[in-house]
């Protein structure tokens, strides 16, 4: 079997593929890997753009470890292979919800947590920050439940699968709630002059700058007592399916064939941006449909450097004459206590650059990466970057502690792969 990720830029051929349906099956796979001198990795749904999930040894597919194990009004224990979209539905059926989440829901719970997946929030952080305990299979085959107060808790929440295999996670939940979503067009110039005000005034701020224009689509989500005012089925289809996927995909394909048209295409996109509002169930507001395949690089910078990062990115695109179809997305999160969270110890802003998959542009990513690293940026573990352990040791205060813990827990490197050898050394 050849494993290929969603974007099609990462592949591997594992020696063996298993689909565990219990913790005991995972333990058996770890023992077998140790006995035969192979590696073992639990793969998610392939939504990472890096090689974080790849292995040449035993690949564990997560589909047999799915569903809710236990739940009560303030926490839920879910099996690691559960897809986020199914978790949302199961929580909603019980009148519960996560406080915050990203906009893609195809990932597994474990994959999203281990790579530091995040949404946007003034007060609430990513999935790893909503974890209250988790079950981990270690390299010696033992099974441990990890709780706050232990080094392993803060190390392994965003652990890249390097410290063990996550088999179940307990997440903090709350009563289901409504969000008031407002979408409006603003100028990048205007946003740059009011970043602090916009961030502090909204529980969830997310905006997209359209390259080659001064236009941005700004999304704000704030809790609302109701009643719900969801978009009509037609309006949802028009915006979420037809315009944001079908039409946008056609525009990307046209730009790939005739790059000179991209600035004009983007100008039309900017002109079509309009204002809209709705009030709906939180997970339906947080999440979006993404059908157009792309490559992505995302860096977290200290929030106070966001304005500079955006100005330099805009100036770089204009100076180099690149033709960029995809918008640049910006989000924010509060500080995290997970050692390898991109938001560890600091309020952070995320700048995400995308390229249509059929027209890769390494120069664009390299140029933006130079800006972000100069500002002390930390790349998303599941998105494209060129950094290694020597860089990470300078931007993560607990990096050496993480590596030392890994040395103790997995001295034979049962859980390693090429990506981990690069980023952890």
């Amino acid at each position: 079997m050849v494993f290929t990720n969603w974007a099609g830029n990462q592949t591997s051929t594992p020696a063996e593929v298993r689909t565990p349906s219990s913790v005991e099956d995972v333990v058996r796979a770890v023992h077998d890997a140790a006995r035969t001198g192979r590696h073992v990795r639990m793969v998610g749904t392939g939504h990472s753009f890096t090689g974080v999930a790849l292995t040449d040894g035993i690949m564990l597919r997560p589909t047999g470890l799915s569903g809710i194990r236990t739940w009560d009004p303030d926490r839920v224990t879910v099996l690691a292979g559960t897809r986020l979209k199914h978790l949302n539905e199961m929580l909603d059926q019980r009148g519960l919800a996560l406080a915050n989440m990203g906009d893609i829901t195809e990932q597994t719970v474990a994959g999203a947590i281990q790579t530091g997946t995040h949404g946007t929030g003034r007060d609430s952080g990513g999935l790893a920050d909503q974890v209250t305990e988790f079950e981990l299979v270690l390299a010696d085959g033992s099974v441990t439940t990890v709780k706050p107060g232990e080094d392993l808790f803060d190390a392994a929440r965003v652990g890249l699968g390097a410290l063990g295999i996550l088999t179940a996670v307990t997440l903090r939940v709350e009563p289901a709630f409504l969000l008031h979503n407002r979408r409006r067009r603003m100028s990048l110039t205007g946003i740059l002059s009011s970043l602090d005000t916009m961030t502090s005034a909204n529980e969830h701020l997310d905006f997209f700058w359209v390259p080659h224009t001064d236009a941005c689509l700004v999304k704000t989500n704030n809790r609302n007592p109701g009643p719900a005012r969801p978009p009509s089925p037609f309006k949802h289809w028009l915006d979420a399916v037809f315009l944001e996927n079908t039409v946008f995909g056609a525009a990307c394909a046209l730009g790939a064939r005739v790059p000179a048209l991209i600035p004009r295409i983007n100008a039309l996109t900017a002109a079509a941006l309009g204002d809209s509002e709705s009030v709906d169930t939180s997970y339906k507001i947080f999440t979006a449909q993404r059908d157009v395949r792309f490559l992505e690089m995302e860096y977290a910078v200290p929030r106070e450097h966001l304005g500079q990062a955006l100005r330099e990115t805009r100036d770089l695109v204009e100076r180099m004459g690149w033709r960029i179809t995809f918008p640049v997305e910006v989000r924010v999160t509060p500080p995290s206590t997970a050692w390898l969270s991109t938001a560890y110890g600091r309020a952070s802003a995320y700048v995400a650059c995308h390229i249509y998959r059929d027209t890769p542009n390494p120069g664009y990513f390299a140029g933006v990466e130079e800006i972000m690293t100069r500002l002390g940026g930390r790349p998303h573990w599941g998105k494209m970057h060129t950094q290694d352990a020597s860089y990470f040791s300078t931007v993560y205060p607990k990096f050496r502690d993480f590596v030392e813990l890994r040395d103790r827990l997995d001295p034979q490197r049962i859980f390693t792969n090429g990506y981990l050898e690069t980023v952890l050394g």
Side-chain angles (χ1 to χ4, degrees), residues 51-71:
V52 64
L54 306 184
T55 186
D56 59 0
I58 301 174
M59 175 176 283
L60 303 181
R61 299 194 66 84
T63 52
L65 292 171
S66 181
I68 288 178
R69 180 185 283 177
T70 61
W71 67 279

Side-chain angles (χ1 to χ4, degrees), residues 288-361:
Q289 185 171 328
R290 295 284 182 264
D291 295 335
V292 182
R293 304 284 170 132
F294 55 84
L295 303 172
E296 182 178 1
M297 181 185 72
E298 181 180 60
Y299 266 77
V301 297
R303 197 179 295 175
E304 62 269 22
H305 296 329
L306 175 57
Q308 181 180 350
L310 288 174
R311 289 184 182 93
E312 291 197 29
T313 298
R314 176 196 59 193
D315 294 347
L316 177 70
V317 170
E318 292 177 356
R319 183 170 68 251
M320 298 303 295
W322 295 317
R323 297 292 181 254
I324 310 298
T325 311
F326 263 82
V328 172
E329 183 178 16
V330 177
R331 294 175 287 178
V332 297
T333 62
S336 172
T337 56
W339 288 0
L340 293 190
S341 167
T342 46
Y344 177 78
R346 67 191 193 192
S348 299
Y350 293 82
V351 179
C353 297
H354 310 71
I355 282 289
Y356 185 48
R357 186 181 63 180
D358 295 343
T359 58
N361 187 337

